[in-house]
């Protein structure tokens, strides 16, 4: 059983990822930590509560950092809607956020049960960086750490074209996290934006999923409406990009990865054009031990099936 602690900024594809993970028989999401990112923390926390209520699972939600460690980054409301869930105006009816601060709750859980949890970060890395500063032994207490972030050959998806959103939203936090995992001699399993584009989901398949008629598929259809119907997001595309679900597929079924390479990854915090870039030492010029396992190929059909299973 994969016991998952999920750090997230829901976010439409975060919601899709939660649907997938919570439907998987071999996985258990035991806590959700929210962070500001796609939209502000008040929205991401409310959305996390809305999602767990919609799927009917009693997963505790802890609110974390509202802003980046040092500088305020750009948000992604133009993709996810001003409310973060496609401007669908969803609110939780009864679910309440826990009182404990997310980084504190994370440390409490992994300290009580070292090596028991897979930590998954599908938002900016602010909470994880803060937890690391509170307890530098964090990497040694975690079984696996999977991150959706980065663009490993600098084809990003932000106004800093080399940078991917989750890293660009808080480059200092990402730097702290990548450096700490390297120093601890552990590997971050990295699912980057370029893999997301390679494994885009054909819109025809998505149309079938929207029409499944289950409670989960109706929720999927409602929150994802902008991704399907908004020309500025879909123009020229034949596929839906699902970054966070791809990361969760790697989490819940590690066997769906067919090719990965271990490399040393640095996060650029300066530079007019390069801030937020994940710089990969592809040819091991620096003779540094790898700190990341970069996921390069997955079984596409298996990924699509896991996504669909999350909607049933
Ligand atoms: C990442 O950025 C966010 O907008 C998505 O939720 C995903 O986590 C993709 O770059
Ligand atoms: Ca996200």
């Amino acid at each position: 059983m994969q016991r998952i602690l999920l750090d997230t900024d829901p976010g439409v594809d975060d919601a899709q990822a939660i649907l997938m993970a919570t439907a998987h028989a071999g996985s258990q999401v035991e806590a959700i930590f929210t962070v500001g990112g796609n939209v502000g923390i008040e929205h991401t926390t409310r959305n996390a509560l809305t999602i767990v209520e919609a799927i009917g699972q009693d997963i505790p939600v802890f609110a974390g950092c509202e802003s980046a460690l040092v500088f305020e980054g750009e948000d992604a409301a133009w993709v996810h809607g001003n409310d973060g869930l496609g401007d669908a105006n969803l609110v939780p009816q009864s679910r309440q956020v826990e009182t404990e601060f997310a980084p504190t709750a994370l440390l409490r859980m992994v300290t009580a049960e070292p090596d028991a949890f897979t930590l998954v970060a599908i938002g900016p890395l602010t909470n994880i960086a803060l937890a690391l500063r509170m307890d530098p032994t964090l990497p040694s207490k975690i079984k696996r750490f999977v991150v959706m972030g980065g663009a490993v050959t600098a084809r990003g998806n932000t106004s800093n074209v080399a940078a991917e959103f989750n890293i660009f939203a808080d480059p200092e936090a990402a730097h702290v996290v990548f450096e700490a995992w390297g120093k601890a001699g552990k590997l971050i399993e990295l699912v980057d934006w370029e893999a997301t584009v390679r494994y885009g989901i054909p819109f025809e398949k998505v149309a079938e999923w929207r029409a499944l008629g289950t409670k989960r598929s109706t929720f999927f259809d409602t929150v994802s409406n902008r991704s399907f119907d908004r020309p500025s997001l879909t123009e020229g595309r034949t596929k839906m990009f699902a970054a966070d679900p791809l990361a969760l597929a790697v989490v819940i079924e590690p066997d769906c990865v067919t090719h990965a390479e271990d490399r040393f990854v640095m996060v650029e915090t300066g530079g007019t054009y390069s801030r937020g870039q994940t710089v990969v030492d592809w040819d091991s010029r620096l003779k540094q031990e790898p700190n990341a396992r970069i996921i390069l190929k997955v079984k596409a059909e298996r990924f699509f099936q896991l996504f669909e299973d999350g909607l049933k």
Side-chain angles (χ1 to χ4, degrees), residues 132 138-139 142 145 177-188:
L132 269 166
L138 174 63
I142 288 167
F145 181 32
V177 170
F178 277 78
E179 188 181 63
W181 249 258
K183 280 189 179 154
K186 303 219 22 172
L187 292 171
I188 295 170

Side-chain angles (χ1 to χ4, degrees), residues 18-210:
I18 294 169
L19 288 171
M20 178 193 280
T22 55
H24 187 253
S27 306
Q28 182 75 38
V29 179
E30 299 202 15
I32 290 179
F33 308 122
T34 61
V35 64
N38 284 323
V39 286
I41 185 87
E42 67 284 6
H43 295 301
T44 60
T45 303
R46 187 202 53 227
N47 293 345
L49 293 166
T50 301
I51 296 162
V52 293
E53 195 172 81
I55 60 180
Q57 290 193 12
D58 198 15
I59 304 167
V61 173
F62 300 87
C65 298
E66 75 173 77
S67 63
L69 289 185
V70 183
F71 299 106
E72 203 60 62
E74 65 189 25
D75 69 18
W78 68 279
V79 177
H80 300 267
N82 289 326
D83 73 355
L85 282 185
D87 287 329
N89 296 317
L90 300 176
V91 287
Q93 300 305 306
S94 61
R95 283 296 311 265
Q96 300 281 329
V97 67
E98 306 294 317
T99 52
E100 194 177 14
F101 184 45
T104 315
L106 163 64
L107 291 176
R108 173 178 55 74
M109 295 177 82
V110 300
T111 303
E113 293 184 87
D115 224 23
F117 294 105
T118 296
L119 178 62
V120 186
I122 55 174
L125 290 163
T126 320
N127 287 338
I128 316 296
L130 196 61
L132 269 166
R133 288 298 190 240
M134 293 159 77
D135 180 358
T137 70
L138 174 63
S140 69
K141 295 177 175 170
I142 288 167
K143 193 168 156 197
R144 292 174 71 199
F145 181 32
V146 180
V147 169
M148 189 285 128
V152 296
T153 67
R155 295 188 70 169
N157 62 352
T158 67
S159 59
N160 253 22
V161 295
E164 178 278 335
F165 180 80
N166 287 341
I167 306 296
F168 186 48
D170 195 348
E172 283 74 19
H175 166 72
V176 166
V177 170
F178 277 78
E179 188 181 63
W181 249 258
K183 280 189 179 154
K186 303 219 22 172
L187 292 171
I188 295 170
E189 293 172 55
L190 189 65
V191 178
D192 82 321
W193 176 253
E194 294 169 43
T196 303
V197 173
R198 276 197 298 285
Y199 294 100
I201 306 170
F203 276 132
E204 300 85 64
K205 195 174 272 299
V206 175
E208 287 168 25
W209 294 347
R210 294 174 72 180

Side-chain angles (χ1 to χ4, degrees), residues 118-310:
T118 296
L119 178 62
V120 186
I122 55 174
L125 290 163
T126 320
N127 287 338
I128 316 296
L130 196 61
L132 269 166
R133 288 298 190 240
M134 293 159 77
D135 180 358
T137 70
L138 174 63
S140 69
K141 295 177 175 170
I142 288 167
K143 193 168 156 197
R144 292 174 71 199
F145 181 32
V146 180
V147 169
M148 189 285 128
V152 296
T153 67
R155 295 188 70 169
N157 62 352
T158 67
S159 59
N160 253 22
V161 295
E164 178 278 335
F165 180 80
N166 287 341
I167 306 296
F168 186 48
D170 195 348
E172 283 74 19
H175 166 72
V176 166
V177 170
F178 277 78
E179 188 181 63
W181 249 258
K183 280 189 179 154
K186 303 219 22 172
L187 292 171
I188 295 170
E189 293 172 55
L190 189 65
V191 178
D192 82 321
W193 176 253
E194 294 169 43
T196 303
V197 173
R198 276 197 298 285
Y199 294 100
I201 306 170
F203 276 132
E204 300 85 64
K205 195 174 272 299
V206 175
E208 287 168 25
W209 294 347
R210 294 174 72 180
L212 282 173
T214 63
K215 196 167 172 239
R216 279 168 167 260
S217 79
T218 304
F219 184 75
F220 163 69
D221 185 44
T222 303
V223 302
S224 316
N225 58 1
R226 289 170 69 97
S227 333
F228 309 135
D229 304 329
R230 199 156 169 252
S232 61
L233 292 179
T234 55
E235 219 158 53
R237 287 188 190 174
T238 56
K239 294 175 175 177
M240 180 179 86
F241 298 143
D244 296 341
L246 183 61
L248 263 297
V250 170
V251 171
I252 64 182
E253 282 203 12
D255 288 354
C256 82
V257 176
T258 55
H259 183 59
E261 293 188 16
D262 297 351
R263 290 289 184 273
F264 182 60
V265 176
M266 298 153 280
V267 178
E268 182 66 273
T269 54
T272 310
Y273 303 110
S274 54
R275 179 170 159 77
Q277 182 178 339
T278 41
V279 180
V280 181
D281 183 6
W282 284 108
D283 298 317
S284 304
R285 292 177 196 284
L286 302 178
K287 307 288 178 236
Q288 296 276 349
E289 284 302 312
N291 58 354
R293 174 159 295 165
I294 300 168
I295 308 301
L296 292 169
K297 290 188 184 163
V298 302
K299 295 174 192 163
E301 287 305 322
R302 189 63 198 141
F303 166 45
F304 299 160
Q305 188 60 53
L306 288 168
F307 200 126
E308 184 175 329
D309 291 348

